Each structure stands twice: as structure tokens, then as C-alpha cells.
Amino acid sequence: MIAFEKTPFEDVKLFRFDGLEDNRGSKIRLYSAGEYAAMGIDFIPCEEMLYEIPKKGILFGIHFQGEPKAQQKMIRLVLGAGIDYAVDLRPESPTYKKWFSTELSAENKMQILIPRGFGHLFYSSTDNALMIFQIDQSFDKNLSRQISYRDPEINLDIKDRKFILAPKDESAPFLT
């Protein structure tokens, strides 16, 4: 069974699968196409990555893939914790440039669906985080895009931290 939490964006889904635990350990369902479809969620992963994030303070993003292969992303942590951000990058949307953040952790077992048209940023808040990252469209380096996390038009609430960044994130452009 899936438990949902409301987000400021109708298309950004935050949820967790209830797990089972006994004297042998625990199990948590990571994906169920049938349960998603029954709730009107159209997400079938075509790629799944495992990110090993060794240090606190690593920042990925704001990343997205452009048309015609815009992606939905499903993200969860199975070890450690971090702050995940969904940024509305749809110019026609009334919530354009608005964002939502939430903690994802092994402890809270939350999972987030980042829909097409949204950028994604992740910040590791612990050492040794382990992330499962699913996408519904194959990665295309020609359509891969970044926007600076420092963009004043987006105004993310992460300015006062020192980050470990990839060069592409350090030099990412602003929206304008």
C-alpha cells in the first residue's frame, strides 16, 4: 500500500510504500506499475541508476531533460539522507519558477516523483547516501540541461552552504 503526502504542485508526488518487518529484517516495495496506474500515475521506468554519494554537501542540479524526451524521475534514498528539490520550469505554468523541497532518507522511506517540465536538485545531508534514481525516458546528452542553483529568479533556500559540485553545475547558466 502507498501512503501519500500533499505537495504544493499537483504533479509532484511524494509517497512511500509501507514495508513489512519481522525477525528476519524488512522489505519495502520499490516499484509497482499496477499501484501507480490505479492512482493515475503514468510512470514506467526505462532506466534505473544507483548513486553512491560519499560525502555530506554534494549537490546535483538543477537538472532536467528537454523535449522531445522530457523525463519524469522517481527518487528515493535507501541509505543516508538528503534534501530533494522539484523546480517548476514550465513557462506557461502559474507556478513557474516556484519550488518544493523535502527530506528523503532511508529512515523516512519517502519517494518523490518529479514530473516532466520540472527541474531536479538534490543535496546530500549525510555521508554515505545511497540513492535509487529511475527515469522514464533514456538519457540524451544533447537534451540534458542545467540551471544554476544560485539563480535569483528561482531563489532556492540553500545559499549559505558550501557544496561539492560537478563542473557542469558550477558553471550552469541562469534562466535568463
Side-chain angles (χ1 to χ4, degrees):
M1 188 53 82
I2 298 176
F4 279 93
E5 287 190 18
K6 201 166 179 74
T7 75
F9 302 103
E10 183 179 334
D11 296 337
V12 175
K13 308 293 185 194
L14 184 62
F15 51 94
R16 73 178 168 316
F17 285 97
D18 292 332
L20 298 173
E21 193 168 328
D22 62 22
N23 63 329
R24 301 167 296 169
S26 63
K27 86 173 178 184
I28 298 168
R29 184 176 308 145
L30 297 177
Y31 178 78
S32 173
E35 285 194 57
Y36 289 149
M39 293 177 294
I41 297 173
D42 180 21
F43 183 82
I44 299 174
C46 73
E47 290 183 21
E48 182 174 70
M49 284 78 63
L50 183 65
Y51 281 78
E52 296 180 35
I53 307 167
K55 295 191 180 290
K56 176 181 179 175
I58 292 177
L59 186 137
F60 298 87
I62 303 167
H63 298 166
F64 65 101
Q65 186 160 293
E67 294 293 350
K69 292 184 179 178
Q71 297 171 327
Q72 292 188 97
K73 301 173 180 183
M74 189 80 75
I75 301 112
R76 82 164 52 222
L77 267 69
V78 294
L79 186 65
I83 308 298
D84 207 90
Y85 293 77
V87 181
D88 190 347
L89 298 175
R90 303 169 299 175
E92 72 287 350
S93 170
T95 56
Y96 179 51
K97 302 181 204 172
K98 303 280 190 233
W99 55 272
F100 165 74
S101 68
T102 190
E103 180 182 46
L104 299 180
S105 71
E107 186 175 315
N108 72 16
K109 299 174 178 55
M110 298 305 293
Q111 180 173 341
I112 191 166
L113 172 69
I114 309 286
R116 290 175 192 86
F118 277 71
H120 175 246
L121 181 142
F122 178 80
Y123 168 76
S124 62
S125 58
T126 64
D127 289 341
N128 300 315
L130 195 58
M131 175 193 290
I132 295 175
F133 189 94
Q134 299 171 315
I135 53 177
D136 70 343
Q137 293 283 334
S138 296
F139 175 76
D140 185 329
K141 70 178 183 175
N142 296 317
L143 298 172
S144 178
R145 305 284 185 266
Q146 297 81 230
I147 294 171
S148 176
Y149 71 94
R150 297 180 299 247
D151 192 313
E153 290 186 54
I154 297 172
N155 195 28
L156 293 175
D157 185 20
I158 55 171
K159 292 177 182 51
D160 296 330
R161 299 182 182 153
K162 295 192 185 251
F163 301 114
I164 301 167
L165 298 163
K168 73 179 183 178
D169 289 325
E170 186 62 50
S171 64
F174 290 174
L175 280 170
T176 53

